[in-house]
Amino acid sequence: MFEGLGRFIHRGRKPLLIFTLLFAVLSGVYGVGVFGDMKPGGFEDPKSESRHAALLAEKAFPQRAPDAVVVYRNDDLTVDDPAFQKAVTDKVNSLPRSVVTGSAHFWMTKMPEQVSRDRHATYVAMNLHGSDDNIKEESYKAVKDKLDLQGFKTLRGGPVPTGHQAGEEIGEDLGAAEGFSFPVLFLLLVIVFGGLAAASLPLLVGGLSILGSMAVLRVIAQFTDVSVFAMSLVTVLGLAVAIDYGLLIVSRYREELDRGRTGEDAISRTVATAGRTVVVSGITVAVALFGMTFFPFAFLKSMAYGGVAAVVLSVFFSIIALPAALAVMGPKVNALSLRRKKRAAQAPAARTEAQGEGAWYRLAHVLMRRPVAITVVTLGVLIALASPFLRIDFGANDARQLPNSAEGRQVHNMLEKDFDGDGVKSIDSLLTLAGEATSKEQGAALQAYADKLGKVPGAKGAQITGAEGTTARVSVKFDGVAVSSPARDLVNDLREVAPPPGAKAYFGGETAVFDDTLDALADTLPMMLLYIAVATYILLFLAFGSVLLPLKAIAMNLLSLSATFGILVWIFQDGHLSDVIGFDPTGNIEPNMPIMLFALIFGLSMDYEVFLVSRIREQYDLLGEPTAAVATGLQSIGKLIVSAALLMCVPLAAMATSGVLTMTLFGVGMVIAILLDVFVVRILLVPAVMKLMGRASWWAPGPLQKLYSKYGIKEGDGVETPESTERVPVPS
């Protein structure tokens, strides 16, 4: 199959390249409009109780939870001065009601929480026009420059301004990351390939996958919500995976040229071997990423859409457009070489190393001489690294994700430092009643209900804050952080209080959203894990024909992931290395991030597993001896895997410099995971474990062997040359 595809590509190379160019132009023109179709947020479960409460509040009460919090400070005047009051109230009254649909300032509410301790600052809580986050953000952009007050320090915070500032920060950071990554990657590829022509090809695949993914996301955005954060994944993953696959294809093609193959034979053999590996690897990564669609959150679904699009297109261009380009270039792939003569002189030596005299070959045998010791020590290190993961504490994606220079973060800091309590923080019970909320009977029942809520341990009082038609709102005040375990416990205790007879209570507010988010994640995670494990097992069996290797791969991946999460808890939750990396620790981890990292890291770890085991399987089919197959397989692919991993780390490390904490955690987590997986799991643990497994690595019962023979994802029907099939003696 794959060999036939290679021959087809060689014969149709020029039309395929024309098609690729046309695709790049059309997808670029159409895809650039995706930014206008994306939406911020996406971290809430649309079917949760807290979302239902928010819809009830929005419909019944114009003064709902604020979309924006604007702080006004004057170092010369206090809120008790008439000039301070007039300036702020005149500014608020001047704002267009079509944009700012509601506002609440101190002189209206008389709430002491709205005044700073030194009385030189106050904040105005505002509601913005819009039925969703995207429209609210447009409303905010229309009014944000009109909020400044001459002679006052003005700071814009709250959910919508903070989300807008985070989006702008991420956009700037991504632009900087791309500007840094492309030239650095090109320079590193030149070093890896030793030539300019070959180095440019993986970057070409990366650019095509990014453009195509943007177009795909824009199409999807016409039918469902797509989070603006998806573009960050498309940019980084599209570039990183495409370079991995491009590196594998180009390296294998040059290897075939060194073996004396040219033209159609070289292309067909490249697609049959490296192309087959890319397809298996890409499907495995895409399957893992697709698992995020199981969750109800638009953020995770969007990451799945963008990630799957980037990976699938990277595979497509790597096995279609890239071989077509190589077929046109032929031996000229080595053009503009910086070490042409040296490469030519070393070609025979390279073939000798592939037969068992290279550094990777010797390393494999060193590891396989003491497989038990290597396995025990490596597992012990990974388990020790994973131990902090047992005490992970989750927190919401709030203003603390922004750098201290951002206005939203400054508002958050001021409310915590300079104000007594948070006047806009509460746990709200939205009730649908059996009768009119303003009736005497319902009023008495509501007050009794509020009294019960206020007496729940952890609550600091409760009061009726809204009554309209058959809907009422009771707000519960409390101390502490809204997105914390104690606040979550309080929500669950409040839910146990019986509402008035005939009424139904729905709890909303930031804490309730946080609690519902964690519950939805916990309910969905087992299904996602089962799906990924089963799908991955089936794919790896079809790729390698073994019933034990897929189990080994899944177990190693879970261990590597646990170690990565343990390190992330130690860094980002505990605050270690915060000065080195440059972030302010929040004491917790945003709950969506581990899910996204799990899907990504699991898929990319399988990427390198497929790279390595595919080459070992190829050598086992040639040599018939498991120890020699592991050694020669690692010799032929070890350098490429390390190079691919280091290249992938470049755009991820660039993202880790972002000023937004979630992006920093994402970049750092991915870099740690890739380095752990390649240098500890694939290079150290895989050879040792496969030595212990021996021929059992490739065992399958008779019926499954027949299944693999009929449906397995194999290279093709090409016949190796006598030189390549020469058996390698196994050192004793």
Side-chain angles (χ1 to χ4, degrees):
M1 170 185 167
F2 287 98
E3 189 161 342
L5 176 62
R7 296 189 184 281
F8 168 79
I9 291 171
H10 184 272
R11 293 165 189 162
R13 54 194 179 276
K14 291 184 180 179
L16 286 173
L17 288 179
I18 293 173
F19 167 79
T20 300
L21 179 62
L22 182 63
F23 177 89
V25 172
L26 293 178
S27 61
V29 171
Y30 178 74
V32 73
V34 69
F35 296 98
D37 295 330
M38 293 176 136
K39 297 184 178 182
F43 298 98
E44 297 182 17
D45 179 1
K47 296 181 180 180
S48 65
E49 177 185 327
S50 56
R51 179 59 183 164
H52 188 73
L55 293 175
L56 283 174
E58 185 171 349
K59 182 178 180 180
F61 310 115
Q63 298 297 331
R64 59 190 185 275
D67 300 312
V69 176
V70 184
V71 174
Y72 291 104
R73 181 174 185 84
N74 190 303
D75 292 332
D76 298 322
L77 302 176
T78 69
V79 295
D80 304 308
D81 292 311
F84 194 121
Q85 177 181 350
K86 185 177 187 307
V88 173
T89 54
D90 286 352
K91 170 58 67 176
V92 172
N93 292 335
S94 70
L95 299 174
R97 294 303 168 196
S98 58
V99 177
V100 180
T101 58
S103 59
H105 50 70
F106 166 67
W107 298 276
M108 175 192 303
T109 65
K110 307 299 182 182
M111 292 173 54
E113 294 92 344
Q114 281 189 265
V115 178
S116 63
R117 294 187 189 94
D118 66 3
R119 306 192 69 78
H120 283 278
T122 187
Y123 66 79
V124 181
M126 297 181 181
N127 297 128
L128 301 172
H129 167 73
S131 56
D132 59 38
D133 290 338
N134 204 34
I135 300 176
K136 288 179 182 178
E137 185 174 15
E138 291 301 317
S139 297
Y140 170 68
K141 288 191 287 186
V143 78
K144 68 173 185 174
D145 292 333
K146 300 177 181 179
L147 297 173
D148 288 309
L149 189 56
Q150 187 174 3
F152 289 74
K153 181 179 182 180
T154 306
L155 295 173
R156 304 156 185 82
V160 175
T162 297
H164 175 70
Q165 292 159 24
E168 287 188 329
E169 181 76 25
I170 290 172
E172 294 174 2
D173 293 341
L174 283 177
E178 291 175 11
F180 169 81
S181 298
F182 269 96
V184 172
L185 285 171
F186 182 70
L187 177 61
L188 292 176
L189 285 168
V190 169
I191 295 173
V192 171
F193 285 123
L196 301 177
S200 63
L201 294 174
L203 287 176
L204 172 65
V205 175
L208 288 170
S209 69
I210 291 173
L211 290 175
S213 299
M214 291 169 62
V216 170
L217 282 180
R218 188 175 184 189
V219 171
I220 294 174
Q222 309 310 309
F223 302 96
T224 187
D225 290 349
V226 176
S227 171
V228 68
F229 292 98
M231 273 311 302
S232 61
L233 183 61
V234 163
T235 301
V236 173
L237 188 64
L239 185 59
V241 173
I243 287 176
D244 265 11
Y245 297 160
L247 185 63
L248 188 66
I249 295 288
V250 174
S251 296
R252 187 62 188 239
Y253 179 70
R254 297 175 86 194
E255 185 179 321
E256 297 301 329
L257 291 180
D258 284 347
R259 289 177 173 175
R261 290 189 175 96
T262 57
E264 187 174 318
D265 289 339
I267 292 296
S268 65
R269 190 60 194 162
T270 297
V271 176
T273 53
R276 173 257 189 197
T277 299
V278 165
V279 169
V280 174
S281 174
I283 294 174
T284 307
V285 177
V287 162
L289 292 173
F290 185 78
M292 288 189 287
T293 62
F294 286 29
F295 294 92
F297 311 108
F299 171 77
L300 289 177
K301 288 180 181 290
S302 301
M303 290 298 181
Y305 303 147
V308 171
V311 171
V312 170
L313 288 172
S314 294
V315 170
F316 177 79
F317 289 118
S318 293
I319 66 169
I320 302 294
L322 184 53
L326 292 171
V328 171
M329 296 173 71
K332 291 182 180 179
V333 70
N334 295 320
L336 305 176
S337 176
L338 304 181
R339 54 187 185 192
R340 186 181 308 161
K341 294 181 180 179
K342 182 178 179 181
R343 176 180 173 79
Q346 287 185 345
R351 288 194 291 270
T352 301
E353 285 189 356
Q355 293 180 0
E357 297 180 6
W360 291 101
Y361 181 90
R362 293 190 293 273
L363 173 63
H365 276 290
V366 168
L367 296 171
M368 288 188 288
R369 286 192 192 103
R370 298 174 179 83
V372 174
I374 295 296
T375 301
V376 171
V377 171
T378 304
L379 291 177
V381 170
L382 291 174
I383 292 172
L385 292 174
S387 59
F389 183 44
L390 296 173
R391 51 181 174 79
I392 188 170
D393 188 22
F394 294 111
N397 190 7
D398 57 22
R400 292 174 296 171
Q401 302 292 321
L402 293 173
N404 283 317
S405 58
E407 286 187 61
R409 179 64 183 273
Q410 292 179 41
V411 168
H412 178 274
N413 291 344
M414 285 186 68
L415 291 180
E416 284 197 338
K417 179 183 176 182
D418 299 334
F419 289 74
D420 287 323
D422 187 344
V424 298
K425 180 185 71 178
S426 64
I427 298 172
D428 298 326
S429 176
L430 274 297
L431 300 112
T432 55
L433 305 171
E436 287 291 324
T438 55
S439 69
K440 183 178 180 181
E441 180 182 354
Q442 290 294 334
L446 281 174
Q447 187 58 55
Y449 176 63
D451 292 340
K452 292 179 184 178
L453 293 180
K455 294 176 181 178
V456 171
K460 299 299 180 183
Q463 60 180 340
I464 302 170
T465 55
E468 182 69 32
T470 58
T471 304
R473 180 176 60 196
V474 178
S475 298
V476 181
K477 295 296 182 181
F478 63 99
D479 292 334
V481 179
V483 288
S484 63
S485 295
R488 188 184 179 201
D489 292 339
L490 175 59
V491 166
N492 289 315
D493 290 340
L494 293 172
R495 284 172 170 155
E496 296 297 320
V497 177
K504 175 67 175 176
Y506 302 92
F507 280 84
E510 189 176 5
T511 306
V513 170
F514 175 59
D515 183 64
D516 288 343
T517 297
L518 292 184
D519 285 344
L521 290 173
D523 291 342
T524 311
L525 184 59
M527 182 169 56
M528 173 199 176
L529 295 178
L530 179 63
Y531 153 76
I532 291 178
V534 172
T536 300
Y537 185 91
I538 293 172
L539 284 169
L540 292 184
F541 170 77
L542 293 176
F544 304 129
S546 167
V547 297
L548 296 181
L549 281 180
L551 291 176
K552 184 264 307 177
I554 292 171
M556 287 185 177
N557 269 23
L558 293 177
L559 192 58
S560 177
L561 274 162
S562 298
T564 298
F565 289 150
I567 296 172
L568 290 179
V569 169
W570 185 79
I571 293 175
F572 288 93
Q573 181 174 301
D574 298 345
H576 298 288
L577 304 181
S578 58
D579 292 335
V580 177
I581 299 174
F583 71 93
D584 295 321
T586 61
N588 51 51
I589 304 290
E590 202 283 320
N592 284 283
M593 292 305 295
I595 303 298
M596 183 177 71
L597 285 172
F598 176 89
L600 278 167
I601 295 169
F602 191 94
L604 292 177
S605 296
M606 284 300 177
D607 216 21
Y608 297 116
E609 174 78 3
V610 172
F611 282 14
L612 177 57
V613 178
S614 292
R615 206 59 185 258
I616 294 175
R617 176 77 207 203
E618 183 181 343
Q619 293 299 311
Y620 182 74
D621 290 341
L622 297 176
L623 306 174
E625 209 290 320
T627 302
V630 172
T632 53
L634 186 61
Q635 171 62 37
S636 61
I637 201 72
K639 180 181 177 181
L640 188 144
I641 288 178
V642 170
S643 298
L646 294 177
L647 287 167
M648 183 176 280
C649 286
V650 170
L652 294 169
M655 176 170 282
T657 64
S658 171
V660 179
L661 184 57
T662 49
M663 295 295 102
T664 303
L665 187 149
F666 173 81
V668 172
M670 291 296 294
V671 169
I672 291 172
I674 289 170
L675 296 181
L676 264 181
D677 187 77
V678 170
F679 288 100
V680 177
V681 175
R682 305 307 153 194
I683 292 178
L684 295 181
L685 198 54
V686 167
V689 172
M690 292 192 73
K691 172 64 176 179
L692 294 173
M693 295 172 66
R695 294 185 185 277
S697 298
W698 311 106
W699 175 81
L704 290 180
Q705 288 179 2
K706 293 179 181 179
L707 183 68
Y708 173 70
S709 298
K710 188 174 183 179
Y711 299 107
I713 308 173
K714 304 182 184 67
E715 293 178 1
D717 54 5
V719 180
E720 286 289 285
T721 64
E723 176 189 51
S724 63
T725 58
E726 180 182 352
R727 298 247 172 168
V728 179
V730 183
S732 57

